[in-house]
Amino acid sequence: MLDYYDEPYDEITSSTAHGKPPPIPPRVLPENEGVLNNIHSTVESNDAGGQQLESSGEAIPSGGEDSIDRNESDLTHLATRTNDGPMVHHPAKNSLPKPQTVEDRYNLKRFYWILGDPQSSHEQIYNAYNQFPSPRIEFLSNRKRHDLLHRLSVIEIKSKKAMLRYLSVVDDVQAASIPLKNSEWSSAIAYAGRCFARVEASQVESALHIWKDMEQEAGVRSGTTTFNILFDIATKAGKYVLAEMILKEMNVRKVEYDQFSYVGFIYYHGLKGDATGVRKAYRDLVEAGAIVDTTVMNCVMVSLIRCGEPSAAEQVYERMKRMLQEKTGHTIPSSDWREARKASRELDKAFRSMRHDRQQLDRLQAEQCLAPNIRTFSIFIDYHVHITGELRRIAALLYEMQHLEIPMNGRIFVKVFQGFARHGGVKYTSWTNQRLETVWEALVQALDEGVEGVYMMKWMVIWVIRAFARCCGRARALQIWEELRSRWKAADDEEKGTVEHILRDVLDENSPERRGE
């Protein structure tokens, strides 16, 4: 599923409370292997950008068309060489090496146990995999290898760590001359192009490089999903000419659009600020028979807001609420991102299989409940935090969330603290320090109660401290920092170092700002 609302909020991982084998030491990620070698410099050069405070939390285009040294003939050459040239096939392994020691046999069984546990985090799976001796990938059967790559590809928000884990396994697969599936190549492209909040030109280059390896070196022909990902990356980077070239290539190859393609077109016109294009792309989606669900409506609303038509987006939102009231007996879709991902994929599968059966599509459309979800509220809260500053309207949205029984989410807390950091600390503001303390108490309560989706993560910490420094002063911000540090058990040294670097004007005793107190 395409991430149309990527936010600078780190990967959320979970683990079972009982029954886990003892922890094992993590392996240091490789820096110069295969695919990682091609993009490692890109990651390092973009790391600072990924650490910058994002004003919106959504992917914003940066740079112009000339910031990527690629033209139409380059793209056409890249595509046609694979079509005309020989297909490269790597032989699959016919037998698996057997573990030679008791420790290896234990590690293999342990890995299978962790991989089969749906609650295992990416880090747990990856660390268990890295206990095998090299070449570790050859210890796994075809099914287990595909299961490993699939588990590492399914994530709510892509991050640098998640990208490095996935591409490290891809490197192991390629080093063993084992072929990758089309979906595994697509996931590698998605990670290379979308592991930071902002998509820069260098990430576009990395994604195109992996695409080139996929088609020219491995001989794997791209399908709709791969082109959707490439189009999404180009769009988010503001490379609109490249995005048009990708669509042209899809048409040349006669690749059919799917549900996600049409949603991507809406988003594309929204980033361009073309409200007419947004409306036309939505009509095209409907006329093609694609299923209109909450994901589609969220994309329409955020695109209209980007086009400077927030009132039109509000009208769509109000219409969704009325439709929910009219459809008695319908349940609100789950707020869990995994369930939402599964539902979107099922709708896309239905659309592709029923593309020429409008009666079946109409029946499926009638079954949809276009209810607001956590993404819907995130879109409007984000708008009021960064554009209007209307705390009263945000409070009303939070009340509506409660009325619809949509649980509070960590991203919503982050956005509210962003609001205090932007609008607090001045006379006559409604973003007062007393209200900030109330929000802080609500966050602490959610953390203590273990509310799902509320975690102490990097951007949460950053915006909490920024909010208290702005509204209450540095002394109170330092008190909050000490409490946050005691609660932030899951952070590693790199993550803490990143936060301390970003907040150095508040935390550093020797900063000019601190000396001027």
Side-chain angles (χ1 to χ4, degrees), residues 411-483:
R411 286 193 209 88
I412 302 298
F413 273 114
V414 170
K415 292 182 185 298
V416 174
F417 283 115
Q418 283 179 326
F420 282 100
R422 291 175 64 90
H423 305 294
V426 296
K427 287 184 177 180
Y428 311 118
T429 180
S430 56
W431 301 81
T432 63
N433 57 349
Q434 293 88 353
R435 286 173 174 153
L436 173 60
E437 294 284 357
T438 300
V439 176
W440 166 248
E441 291 172 4
L443 172 61
V444 170
Q445 182 179 350
L447 291 169
D448 289 342
E449 294 176 356
V451 174
E452 187 175 0
V454 181
Y455 297 83
M456 193 55 64
M457 292 294 179
K458 179 175 68 178
W459 291 102
M460 177 79 78
V461 173
I462 289 169
W463 284 113
V464 168
I465 298 302
R466 287 284 185 218
F468 274 97
R470 177 70 180 266
C471 297
C472 306
R474 289 187 177 87
R476 178 60 175 149
L478 290 175
Q479 292 177 353
I480 298 296
W481 168 246
E482 292 303 320
E483 182 166 352

Side-chain angles (χ1 to χ4, degrees), residues 214-471:
M214 171 185 174
E215 295 225 328
Q216 291 189 8
E217 302 300 328
V220 178
R221 192 170 177 80
S222 302
T224 304
T225 299
T226 305
F227 280 112
N228 284 346
I229 292 169
L230 290 169
F231 179 80
D232 182 60
I233 293 169
T235 296
K236 288 179 177 177
K239 313 303 178 189
Y240 303 125
V241 171
L242 176 61
E244 293 289 346
M245 289 158 53
I246 291 168
L247 290 185
K248 180 179 178 181
E249 185 62 28
M250 288 182 74
N251 293 329
V252 168
R253 298 191 187 192
K254 295 181 171 54
V255 176
E256 288 189 320
Y257 300 150
D258 63 8
Q259 179 101 359
F260 301 123
S261 304
Y262 288 106
V263 178
F265 302 154
I266 297 172
Y267 192 78
Y268 165 79
H269 287 289
L271 284 178
K272 292 182 70 176
D274 179 7
T276 301
V278 168
R279 292 182 171 89
K280 181 182 183 303
Y282 176 73
R283 287 196 301 270
D284 291 343
L285 180 148
V286 173
E287 291 171 2
I291 309 301
V292 178
D293 63 351
T294 300
T295 298
V296 173
M297 301 315 298
N298 284 344
C299 189
V300 169
M301 288 183 286
V302 75
S303 297
L304 289 172
I305 289 173
R306 281 203 175 99
C307 294
E309 296 192 17
S311 59
E314 289 274 4
Q315 290 174 12
V316 174
Y317 171 65
E318 293 298 328
R319 175 60 178 159
M320 290 176 70
K321 289 197 297 182
R322 288 197 301 271
M323 291 176 67
L324 178 61
Q325 294 172 351
E326 293 167 1
K327 287 198 172 186
T328 57
H330 280 70
T331 57
I332 296 176
S334 171
S335 296
D336 181 76
W337 67 271
R338 293 179 182 85
E339 292 296 323
R341 177 181 183 272
K342 180 180 177 182
S344 293
R345 287 173 173 266
E346 287 176 351
L347 285 181
D348 177 60
K349 183 178 179 181
F351 166 62
R352 287 186 281 111
S353 64
M354 303 176 186
R355 188 186 298 267
H356 304 295
D357 188 343
R358 293 308 292 257
Q359 273 192 329
Q360 289 279 27
L361 288 173
D362 290 343
R363 179 188 59 77
L364 186 58
Q365 181 63 71
E367 295 174 355
Q368 299 307 304
C369 178
L370 300 181
N373 62 10
I374 192 69
R375 294 285 195 186
T376 312
F377 289 100
S378 179
I379 289 166
F380 284 103
I381 290 173
D382 187 82
Y383 167 70
H384 290 296
V385 163
H386 296 100
I387 305 299
T388 71
E390 294 182 11
L391 182 58
R392 181 177 298 179
R393 182 60 185 136
I394 292 174
L397 287 165
L398 293 176
Y399 175 79
E400 290 176 9
M401 276 182 59
Q402 186 178 15
H403 176 71
L404 293 174
E405 299 182 351
I406 297 175
M408 192 66 168
N409 184 277
R411 286 193 209 88
I412 302 298
F413 273 114
V414 170
K415 292 182 185 298
V416 174
F417 283 115
Q418 283 179 326
F420 282 100
R422 291 175 64 90
H423 305 294
V426 296
K427 287 184 177 180
Y428 311 118
T429 180
S430 56
W431 301 81
T432 63
N433 57 349
Q434 293 88 353
R435 286 173 174 153
L436 173 60
E437 294 284 357
T438 300
V439 176
W440 166 248
E441 291 172 4
L443 172 61
V444 170
Q445 182 179 350
L447 291 169
D448 289 342
E449 294 176 356
V451 174
E452 187 175 0
V454 181
Y455 297 83
M456 193 55 64
M457 292 294 179
K458 179 175 68 178
W459 291 102
M460 177 79 78
V461 173
I462 289 169
W463 284 113
V464 168
I465 298 302
R466 287 284 185 218
F468 274 97
R470 177 70 180 266
C471 297

